[in-house]
Amino acid sequence: TVATVAVKVFVTSAILAAVLTVAITVAATMLMGKRKNSNANQGQELKLKLDPTMPRQVAVGLTATGGSLVWSFTYTDNNKKPNRYLVRIIDLSDIPIDGVNDILVEGTPLSFAGDVHTGFQACTSAYRAKNGAACMWVKVHKGGPDQAADNELVAMSGGVWTNQHKGKNIAYAIVKMDYDPDAFPNGEPGLVFIVRGASCYDDRADDTMPGGSGTQRLNDPTTWKYTRNASVITAQVLRGFYSAGVLMFGAQAEARDLYAPMLQAAHNECDELVADDKNNQIQVPRYRAGMMLTASESTASALLDLQSAFDGRIIDRGGNITILPGANRTPVFSINDDHVTYITEKSYQPRAPINELCNHIVGTFVDAQSGFQEKAFPTLQNKQWEKNDGGERFSAQYTFRAINSDSQVQRITQRMYEGTRNQATIAIALPLWAIELEQGDWFEMSSARWGFTNKLFEAVKVDIATNLAIVVVAKEVKPFPQWSGETLVPRTDTVWIAPVGQLPYPDIAISPRYTKDPDSGKEDVGFAVVLTGLPSGIEATAIEFEMGVGANPSTTWTVPGVAARNQVTYIMGLQPATQYSIRATATDGSRYSPASPWQTASTNGIANVSKDTQAVGGKPAATVINDINAAFQKAADAESTSNA
C-alpha cells in the first residue's frame, strides 16, 4: 500500500542489463510522487452527505467537512406547535476528534452563545426571529470509547433515539432549528465544520522509545495528541486508525516496520520553522497536513496525498518503511570514475526523454483561508525553459488534497518546478562496499568520462547482482534553497498567476522631439523614447511607460505600452519647455519587472501651441490636481445648497 517499493534482491546478469535499460523510466518516478488529477471532490466534501451507505471517514489534521447525515426528525414544542423543530444528527468523523474550531456558512464563521462542545449553544450572529429570539442551536460530541447517548436527543425524539445510541468513538454534531421563515429566508443553511482531527501517536513523545520523552504510548490511544505534522499523520495512517479493535482506515503496519529514529527525524524535519509571510516575520512548521480519509479510497491513495504534503516520498526499504520529507540530506559517500565498474552495463543520460519533460505546473489545493474551498495555486511557467525544451510546453497538473496553506503549496510547487531542471539519470555498478547505500540516500559523483564534477544524485533503486556488484539507478538532485517569504505570490480571491524568477527592467534613453504639420502649421513637442539593449532572454511581451513632471516626480501617469523589442516610441502632446521624467517597466501579462531608473529631459520651447490641441496627459500634475479639487468643491457647494 505504499507508493514506491524497492526491495534489495539478488538478480542475474540478464536482469542487471534490464534494470539499466529501464533506468530512465524508473528514475522518472522521482518527479511523479505528487497526487495528479485526483477524483476527490472538495466541493462535495463540504456539503452535508445524505448517502445511507456513506463509507467511514476519519478527520486528520485541520480539515473541513459538511458531515454525513445519521438521522433527522421533527418534534413538537411545549406550546403544542406541530413539527416546530427540525433536528439533524451529523457524523463528523468515525474516529474521535480534538474538537471543532469554527462552523461556517458560505465561508463566514458563525458566532455562538458558548462552547458548542459543552451543550446546545444558540447561534448569535444569524438565524434569529424578528423579535431577536435564537432559531438555531448546535452541540458537538468529540467521540470517545466511553461516550454516552445524548439525553437531550433521547428526550426530543420521544425515546426513538435511545440510551443505546451512544456513537462510541464517533464525533458528531446535533443541529436544532426553530424553522421560522424570517430566520431562514434562504432555506436550511449548509453548515461546514472546521475540525481538529484525530489524535496520532508521536514516537518523540514516548519515553519508552529511543530518543523519546513523554507519556504517549503506542498501545494506548488515549495518550495520543492532535497534530498537523504531516509525517506524524502519515505514520499513523501506515499503522491504522482503529475503533474498538476494528480497523477504520490504514495500512496495518506493525511496530517493527517503522524504525523510531527514522520517524523522529522525519517528524522533526516537518516541524522545522519557515517564513509564512513576505516580510519573514511569521514562522510556521514546514510541512502540515489535513484531510478527510475516506474508506471508499485506498490507503495508497491517501498516502500519495500525504507524501505530497511533506514534499517527499514513502519508501519500503525491504521491510523497513521509510518516510522521507523534502529536505537537504548529507551525501552517504563521494565517488568518481575509479569506483565504477565500466565493463558492466552502465548508462548516463544528462537530459530527460521528451515524454518526461515538464516546464509548466498547474493545479489546486484546499485553501483554509477561503473556507477550505479548492483553489488554484500559482501557475509555474518559464518561457526560457520552454525554449530549452524544444519550444514546447509540457504541462503537469497536480491536486494537493492534504495541503490547506497557500504558502506551503507555493514552497512545495516552487521546489518541484526547480527540480524539473534536474534531469540527469545514472545507472552504474559499484563494489560491494556500496551496499550501505539505500533508496532515498544522496551521494556525490564526479566523472571525467561523462563530463561532470561534484554532481549530487539520489538513489532510486539499489540492487545486488550475482557477482556481488551493487547496481545503482539514481536521479540528479540539487540542495533545497532556503525558503524566503519574499517570494510569496500575493493572494487573490481565485486564481493566481505566479512569477517564476523576476523580469529584468528595460533600459531606455529619451531625447526631445519637435514636429510641425506642413499643411496646418500645428506644432507639437514630446520625446523620442528609445528601448536600448533589452536584456538577453527577456520573457516580457510588453513595455509600459510611467511619466511625471520634474525630476523624481511624486505624481505620475501611465502611457500606453509597446511591444517588448528594441525600438523607438514617441510620446507627444506635452507642455513646451517643461521638464519631464520617464521610466519603463517590462511585463509578460502576469509579472512586472522593477521600474527602470528615471530618465529626465525638457521638451522644446515653441511659439504658439493651441491648448485645445494638447493631450490631457500633457498637463502638469499640479494643474490636473487643481482642476480636480475645484470640481469636488463645486459639487460639495451644490450639495450643501440643496440640503439647506
Side-chain angles (χ1 to χ4, degrees):
T1 58
V2 294
T4 309
V5 179
V7 182
K8 290 180 179 177
V9 295
F10 285 86
V11 295
T12 66
S13 298
I15 295 177
L16 170 59
V19 166
L20 297 175
T21 301
V22 301
I24 302 299
T25 302
V26 173
T29 62
M30 296 274 290
L31 292 177
M32 299 300 146
K34 307 294 184 285
R35 161 65 71 193
K36 299 182 71 174
N37 302 324
S38 169
N39 294 323
N41 187 323
Q42 181 65 13
Q44 291 299 318
E45 181 56 53
L46 300 182
K47 294 180 180 179
L48 178 63
K49 294 166 279 293
L50 306 178
D51 184 0
T53 62
M54 184 67 194
R56 297 292 189 183
Q57 286 194 308
V58 178
V60 293
L62 186 66
T63 186
T65 180
S68 59
L69 186 64
V70 176
W71 188 45
S72 63
F73 61 92
T74 60
Y75 75 97
T76 302
D77 67 355
N78 294 331
N79 295 324
K80 308 301 182 184
K81 183 177 180 180
N83 301 321
R84 175 171 178 174
Y85 293 99
L86 170 66
V87 179
R88 293 207 186 279
I89 306 167
I90 301 171
D91 185 337
L92 303 178
S93 174
D94 294 299
I95 290 293
I97 63 173
D98 190 59
V100 170
N101 274 4
D102 281 303
I103 301 173
L104 312 182
V105 172
E106 297 181 354
T108 302
L110 299 176
S111 298
F112 293 86
D115 184 354
V116 295
H117 302 96
T118 62
F120 277 107
Q121 302 294 338
C123 180
T124 58
S125 58
Y127 311 116
R128 306 181 77 83
K130 284 185 176 180
N131 63 3
C135 290
M136 185 171 76
W137 300 260
V138 176
K139 182 179 184 180
V140 172
H141 289 273
K142 299 180 185 179
D146 300 324
Q147 187 163 269
D150 188 282
N151 292 331
E152 291 175 278
L153 267 182
V154 174
M156 288 186 293
S157 70
V160 179
W161 188 270
T162 73
N163 289 327
Q164 295 305 309
H165 290 90
K166 300 176 181 180
K168 285 187 176 182
N169 288 323
I170 296 176
Y172 66 95
I174 308 168
V175 181
K176 181 175 76 171
M177 289 169 281
D178 184 348
Y179 217 69
D180 186 321
D182 293 324
F184 301 94
N186 299 318
E188 182 179 355
L191 303 181
V192 175
F193 298 85
I194 309 302
V195 174
R196 301 188 305 274
S199 297
C200 299
Y201 173 70
D202 187 339
D203 301 68
R204 297 173 300 176
D206 184 346
D207 57 21
T208 67
M209 301 298 293
S213 175
T215 58
Q216 288 194 31
R217 296 293 183 268
L218 179 59
N219 60 357
D220 185 359
T222 64
T223 65
W224 303 352
K225 300 295 182 183
Y226 162 71
T227 182
R228 296 178 65 185
N229 182 298
S231 176
V232 175
I233 294 172
T234 300
Q236 192 60 56
V237 172
L238 287 168
R239 293 184 173 109
F241 289 94
Y242 292 82
S243 177
V246 177
L247 179 68
M248 293 287 106
F249 191 90
Q252 296 180 282
E254 298 180 6
R256 63 184 180 182
D257 299 323
L258 297 165
Y259 183 50
M262 174 278 299
L263 289 178
Q264 292 171 10
H267 302 343
N268 288 335
E269 287 169 349
C270 288
D271 276 342
E272 290 176 357
L273 296 180
V274 294
D276 195 49
D277 69 317
K278 292 184 72 66
N279 297 320
N280 296 312
Q281 298 297 311
I282 302 172
Q283 291 193 318
V284 296
R286 183 183 297 274
Y287 299 128
R288 296 184 290 187
M291 64 184 297
M292 294 298 297
L293 304 172
T294 304
S296 59
E297 292 190 87
S298 67
T299 302
S301 177
L303 289 172
L304 277 175
D305 288 316
L306 289 168
Q307 77 172 7
S308 296
F310 59 72
D311 192 23
R313 290 183 299 140
I314 305 166
I315 302 171
D316 187 340
R317 290 172 164 174
N320 184 2
I321 303 173
T322 303
I323 298 172
L324 287 177
N328 291 327
R329 308 201 177 279
T330 302
V332 173
F333 49 63
S334 180
I335 62 174
N336 55 42
D337 290 336
D338 294 338
H339 302 108
V340 178
T341 306
Y342 281 104
I343 61 173
T344 63
E345 296 284 346
K346 69 266 181 197
S347 172
Y348 173 65
Q349 299 293 335
R351 293 272 291 168
I354 192 169
N355 64 324
E356 292 166 9
L357 288 175
C358 176
N359 52 39
H360 182 260
I361 293 178
V362 296
T364 61
F365 75 109
V366 179
D367 184 17
Q369 294 189 44
S370 299
F372 287 80
Q373 297 285 339
E374 190 170 1
K375 295 283 186 175
F377 59 76
T379 299
L380 293 162
Q381 55 190 352
N382 187 308
K383 292 182 180 179
Q384 185 59 50
W385 290 2
E386 292 178 17
K387 292 178 184 178
N388 296 344
D389 293 339
E392 297 289 336
R393 170 171 290 180
F394 299 102
S395 185
Q397 182 171 354
Y398 296 95
T399 301
F400 294 96
R401 291 175 53 203
I403 300 177
N404 48 46
S405 160
D406 64 303
S407 64
Q408 181 175 333
V409 80
Q410 288 190 52
R411 293 197 303 272
I412 290 174
T413 54
Q414 182 66 37
R415 206 278 315 160
M416 285 172 55
Y417 193 57
E418 293 171 358
T420 65
R421 300 299 95 186
N422 303 334
Q423 298 181 12
T425 306
I426 194 168
I428 53 177
L430 296 171
L432 185 60
W433 52 256
I435 195 172
E436 66 180 280
L437 187 69
E438 293 187 290
Q439 187 183 13
D441 284 344
W442 288 14
F443 66 92
E444 185 180 68
M445 182 175 179
S446 296
S447 174
R449 178 187 291 257
W450 285 325
F452 59 79
T453 303
N454 298 330
K455 190 181 288 290
L456 281 174
F457 291 92
E458 179 176 349
V460 178
K461 188 175 180 63
V462 181
D463 290 318
I464 307 176
T466 52
N467 63 357
L468 299 184
I470 305 302
V471 183
V472 179
V473 179
K475 188 78 173 63
E476 179 187 4
V477 293
K478 285 188 174 67
F480 286 42
Q482 179 64 39
W483 172 257
S484 171
E486 296 172 0
T487 61
L488 277 171
V489 179
R491 291 181 58 88
T492 63
D493 290 336
T494 53
V495 178
W496 302 298
I497 302 298
V500 179
Q502 187 178 67
L503 292 176
Y505 65 77
D507 292 325
I508 63 171
I510 66 174
S511 59
R513 177 176 170 79
Y514 166 84
T515 63
K516 183 175 182 178
D517 188 283
D519 296 322
S520 65
K522 177 184 174 183
E523 299 172 288
D524 198 4
V525 295
F527 296 102
V529 182
V530 183
L531 289 168
T532 60
L534 289 178
S536 176
I538 189 170
E539 303 161 26
T541 57
I543 306 296
E544 298 181 357
F545 299 104
E546 179 185 11
M547 66 183 303
V549 176
N552 297 312
S554 58
T555 303
T556 63
W557 60 90
T558 58
V559 178
V562 297
R565 64 176 184 270
N566 293 329
Q567 59 178 299
V568 180
T569 187
Y570 301 106
I571 301 175
M572 304 298 290
L574 304 179
Q575 292 287 333
T578 302
Q579 186 185 57
Y580 290 89
S581 292
I582 302 174
R583 62 184 180 182
T585 301
T587 179
D588 64 0
S590 60
R591 296 177 293 167
Y592 286 84
S593 74
S596 66
W598 286 110
Q599 300 295 317
T600 302
S602 295
T603 55
N604 293 309
I606 56 179
N608 297 298
V609 179
S610 173
K611 289 184 178 180
D612 61 6
T613 65
Q614 295 180 39
V616 174
K619 285 186 179 183
T623 302
V624 176
I625 293 172
N626 288 337
D627 290 345
I628 293 173
N629 288 337
F632 274 119
Q633 186 60 51
K634 184 177 180 180
D637 292 343
E639 182 179 2
S640 177
T641 302
S642 174
N643 289 341

